[in-house]
Every structure is written in structure tokens, then in C-alpha cells.
Amino acid sequence: KEAALMHRIYSNSFCNIAATGASRNEHGCFFDRNPTTVEPCYADICWGSTEHFKHLIIDQRYWLDGVADAPLNRRAWVVQERLLAPRVLHFGRQQVYWECQELEACETFPAGIPSLPADREIGISGFKDLGTESACLDRGLDGMSSAWESSKAYGIWTRIVIAFSSSALTVRDDKLPALAGIAQRMGGLLEDHYLAGLWRRFLVDELCWSASSQTFGAQQKPFRPTKYRAPSWSWASVEGRITPDAYGYGVSLIEVLQAQVEPASDNPFGSIKSGYLLLRGTLHTFEIIGDLKEPAQGWSSKVNGIALGKNVIEIMLDDAANIVRKDLYCLPIKYLPDDDPDGYGPWLRGLILQQIEPTQAHYRRLGAFFLPDDMEAIRAFQSQRGDGKISLPHESALGDSRTIMII
């Protein structure tokens, strides 16, 4: 019940005071420190001449170490508390930091921390000013009606997913509730349909997420809990660091017919009971070859019975502890031709599936695959046609597809 109100509680606050440097509840906000370390560090440096210039010396991980990677912000529930609040006063171990829609500052740099390329959380701070009147007026935009602002919002969402999935949850069932406040605000801004951590408008792109070991803690490999939390096509069904795919790259090879989730309560952004995808696409038999106890980099595979060499296909499994070797299928999702004007092709992205019932076209996701820069390997996905042509995207136009359900 309270989780459904999170977006209102923190969004309507004036300032959130955070014990950002505290590893435990009893540590509080204040720490012993050397005050001289807060003063800016300058040095006179001579660059190939007799004239000396004054230069500021600053750690490139200044904000990351002090705020983003600090103990409190490694907790998943805190991600939305921090992002929804319009202002946050961070009490770190070395100094106090300030974060709001317009400024990131600290005691050392009260007018604003210098912008450093390596010292940002790949942009999640930009969430605070999404759709705000001041942000839109600065750009001459009319709220979220601007395509530019909408595109920015989706981009920030992917970075929030990375930060959130890299954080720790004490109760695993809280995966979706702990993000519900952010999702609810984002849904209002985007006017899009929320599907257990994914958005309907870019669902084809969002399906291509992959999981890896979490950044913090014991570096545990990704796994899918036995207790149901989300459909297998949702990253919320997996414990691990999630890397979403980029929006708008490649040609879609599937057609999503239906996408449904059933909420467990009146809150459509919280926990869910069930969900499914009904789509049209082309399935190919798939087999993993190699010692499954070894890293995935040493595996090879077969597609439609055609053996591919080691590392030709990058295999990213959702559950590293429960690996299925045979009776698998792969579903190509996106394709970039070799004549891509930006020079990034050819590549193929898709899902690795397992059929649940032999008599029904019901499947569950086991992982994702990526096949880069190998046109001969891509031909294996067309071997069943017998015409030898590479007609994966627009040419086949789903003509060889079938309707399947992923749950």
C-alpha cells in the first residue's frame, strides 16, 4: 500500500536528507574526517614553457565515489527515494553533497562540481528535471510533447534499470515495488503502457536485455528465483545486473500481437501475478556445445543443425546455475544489415527459448544472444529456407514466422 504512494511522498517533499556514507543504520550522518581534504587542490604546472599555470586537480570518480557508489545508494529501495525527491542533501564520509534539478555540488565545490566525462552515473540524475516546467522552458519545449524530451526519458529509463538492478534488495519479492514510484512517474510523462519493467512503445528493443553479475556484493552470477516474480521476458524475473539494449537500432524481426501483465494489486506498477507475450517470429533450433562449467566465452553452438565456432555467438544466460543444453530454440529479434550507413552492421540479436509443452507453442526465455559481424554465421538462420539468401529483415517480412507465446 505504501509503495504505491512513494512517487507522491518523495516527489512532494522539499528536501530529502540522506545518510549516504552510512553502511548501517546506526552509523548516522556524521563521520570523523580531516577538514583539509575538503579544500580544492591546485597545482602550478608548466607545460613546455617557462610560464606556469594554475590547474585544479580532481579525482575523476569524485561524484561516483562520494554519492553514486556510496553505501546507501547501493540499496535498491533508495534509488527511487533519491531520484523522486526534488532535492537531496547527501551526508558522505568525507563531506556533504547537494543534488537537485539544476545543480550537483559539495563543500569543495559549492557552485557546482566540475563536469568530468568519467564521473557520472551515465545520466540518471537527469531524471529529476524530466517534464519539469523549467527544463522545458529552457529548451523552448512544450513539456513531454517534444520528441526530444520523450527520447531522453526512455534513455534515462534504461540507465535507471542498470543502476537499480545493480543494487541490493533484502527481500527479492520487492523487485517491482521498489521501482514502482519511478515507473509511475515515468508512465505519466511518457503516456506509455508499463509491462513489468518494460515499456510497450519500444518493447521490441526492450526484450533484448541481458543479465550479468551484480556490481556490488559477492559478484554472484545472474539467476532466476524459484518464486514467481515476473514473466521470463521481463528483466524483473532475474537477479543480476541488467543491460538493456539501445533503442531504435536494427530492423525488427518480430511482430508483437499482445503483451499483457496481471497486477497483484490495484497498483499496475507494483508486483504482478502473471504475464505473457503473444508474437510472430521465426524460431530456429539451438544447441549449446561446450563445458557448461566453463565461462560462456568458451562455448560454441549449433543453429538449425549447423555448427558455429567458439565465440561466434555471444550467449548470455539468465540463470547461470540452471543451464539447459539441448531442446532449445532461438528467436531473432533485431537485425542490422551489413550496408548500415554508420558501419555498425551486420549483427543479429535475439532470445534463447525453451518450449514448455511439446504440444503447445508456449515458451519461456532462458537468455539472449548476440551475433556480431559474421554474415556467414547469420546465414545459418536461413538454412531451413533452402534458397541461400539472406532475407532476415524486410525481405522475408515475417513470411516464415509462426505465432508463439512467451510466459
Side-chain angles (χ1 to χ4, degrees), residues 306 375-376 378-392 395 400:
I306 299 176
M375 207 61 187
E376 287 304 314
I378 290 176
R379 288 180 184 275
F381 288 84
Q382 289 298 295
S383 63
Q384 290 181 335
R385 292 176 53 117
D387 55 14
K389 294 181 179 180
I390 304 302
S391 55
L392 277 171
E395 295 177 14
D400 301 317

Side-chain angles (χ1 to χ4, degrees), residues 288-300:
I288 299 174
I289 302 172
D291 187 349
L292 301 185
K293 296 181 181 180
E294 297 296 324
Q297 290 81 358
W299 298 345
S300 58

Side-chain angles (χ1 to χ4, degrees), residues 253-255 279-283 331-332 398 400-404:
L253 302 180
I254 64 170
E255 179 185 2
L279 56 84
R280 293 181 63 211
T282 305
L283 287 177
L331 173 70
L398 298 172
D400 301 317
S401 66
R402 65 181 72 177
T403 299
I404 66 170

Side-chain angles (χ1 to χ4, degrees), residues 10 34 40 46 48 62 72 102 128 149 162 203 251 254 267 270 325-326 343 355 401:
Y10 285 96
N34 183 353
C46 176
Y62 201 87
L72 183 67
E102 299 178 353
K128 288 185 180 297
E149 191 77 356
I162 295 173
L203 188 55
V251 180
I254 64 170
N267 182 12
R325 186 190 294 269
K326 296 183 179 181
Q355 191 169 12
S401 66

